[in-house]
Amino acid sequence: AQTVTQSQPEMSVQEAETVTLSCTYDTSESDYYLFWYKQPPSRQMILVIRQEAYKQQNATENRFSVNFQKAAKSFSLKISDSQLGDAAMYFCAYKQYGGSQGNLIFGKGTKLSVKP
Amino acid sequence: DAEITQSPRHKITETGRQVTLACHQTWNHNNMFWYRQDLGHGLRLIHYSYGVQDTNKGEVSDGYSVSRSNTEDLPLTLESAASSQTSVYFCASSRDTNTGELFFGEGSRLTVL
């Protein structure tokens, strides 16, 4: 079975600095998707960034970028120029490509605090 | 704007009572999911549906049931609530099973006394 591990329960970053959140996963599949979701204190979860496993290029969305290392099964999220609004729980998630496996497997989350 | 809404947002009930959490989405998504979120466990899948009359068990389905009579709604029922079911419940929907992007509701906090 696939698993997703986030080894950092909590992280802290100074405003305007850069922080990297770690995620590793375990799968025997070659085609899959990886995601980072953000859950602000208001609790509604939103998608931050998505990576297709077949793409070698790391995904980027404005200040958010990932370091996808397929062989190492690692998928870290880098937040540049951190802002107070980035404070949230961040969840790494895995999804097998296609078939009937339409559901996501989530890690336990990393709570990010941003200090002014 | 299309959205996904959950109700109630907060509920307190007693052990043994039946509880139903509602989830309604206006995106016309075929795929809908129920997750529970507990400290130290992240989100765990309870049930999911790929369309009307389709329901599937997730990782933690014991004690829960769902039904899908139309595209918009996927109510989650706890037949006999237990204290172990105290949690925050999230409903989500997606258009495409391949891309996997989920759109989440705001959550329902359930306390079972």
Side-chain angles (χ1 to χ4, degrees):
Chain A
Q2 294 91 355
T3 59
V4 176
T5 302
Q6 293 179 248
S7 58
Q8 307 152 316
E10 295 188 26
M11 292 281 286
S12 180
V13 64
Q14 204 73 32
E15 195 176 7
E17 297 294 311
T18 296
V19 64
T20 298
L21 308 183
S22 301
C23 174
T24 59
Y25 58 96
D26 187 25
T27 183
S28 58
E29 303 294 329
S30 58
D31 291 329
Y32 49 86
Y33 295 93
L34 296 165
F35 308 84
W36 279 98
Y37 277 86
K38 172 185 177 181
Q39 186 181 37
S42 65
R43 300 190 302 171
Q44 190 165 23
M45 202 168 311
I46 56 174
L47 178 67
V48 175
I49 200 164
R50 181 181 73 195
Q51 175 80 42
E52 290 90 339
Y54 66 86
K55 290 186 177 180
Q56 294 186 346
Q57 186 173 5
N58 290 326
T60 299
E61 288 288 341
N62 300 314
R63 297 182 296 107
F64 298 87
S65 61
V66 298
N67 183 4
F68 173 48
Q69 301 289 328
K70 190 172 184 179
K73 297 180 182 176
S74 172
F75 183 61
S76 60
L77 175 70
K78 185 172 80 171
I79 306 174
S80 304
D81 185 26
S82 296
Q83 301 176 0
L84 295 177
D86 295 332
M89 282 289 289
Y90 286 83
F91 292 94
C92 179
Y94 165 99
K95 183 201 164 300
Q96 182 175 323
Y97 179 83
S100 62
Q101 299 298 320
N103 61 78
L104 272 62
I105 299 169
F106 287 87
K108 295 182 179 181
T110 296
K111 183 178 181 180
L112 178 66
S113 302
V114 180
K115 298 179 180 179
Chain B
D1 287 342
E3 60 180 6
I4 181 166
T5 55
Q6 295 182 229
S7 63
R9 295 290 309 280
H10 301 271
K11 185 169 180 67
I12 301 174
T13 190
E14 296 177 342
T15 301
R17 298 243 182 185
Q18 183 181 80
V19 176
T20 296
L21 305 179
C23 176
H24 179 81
Q25 52 99 2
T26 59
W27 281 297
N28 203 36
H29 287 166
N30 284 326
N31 311 311
M32 296 184 72
F33 307 84
W34 273 105
Y35 290 88
R36 60 177 289 174
Q37 183 179 30
D38 304 288
L39 201 61
H41 287 279
L43 281 85
R44 292 181 291 174
L45 184 66
I46 305 171
H47 281 286
Y48 58 102
S49 168
Y50 291 140
V52 176
Q53 302 302 328
D54 176 75
T55 61
N56 305 278
K57 294 182 179 181
E59 178 188 1
V60 291
S61 60
D62 287 349
Y64 303 94
S65 64
V66 293
S67 61
R68 189 87 180 272
S69 58
N70 58 54
T71 300
E72 295 79 16
D73 299 289
L74 187 70
L76 177 71
T77 298
L78 289 68
E79 299 292 343
S80 178
S83 58
S84 60
Q85 294 176 308
T86 293
S87 185
V88 181
Y89 292 86
F90 287 94
C91 180
S93 71
S94 73
R95 179 184 69 245
D96 184 343
T97 57
N98 281 335
T99 63
E101 179 176 358
L102 297 181
F103 295 85
F104 284 86
E106 294 185 335
S108 295
R109 182 179 294 277
L110 176 67
T111 302
V112 183
L113 302 176

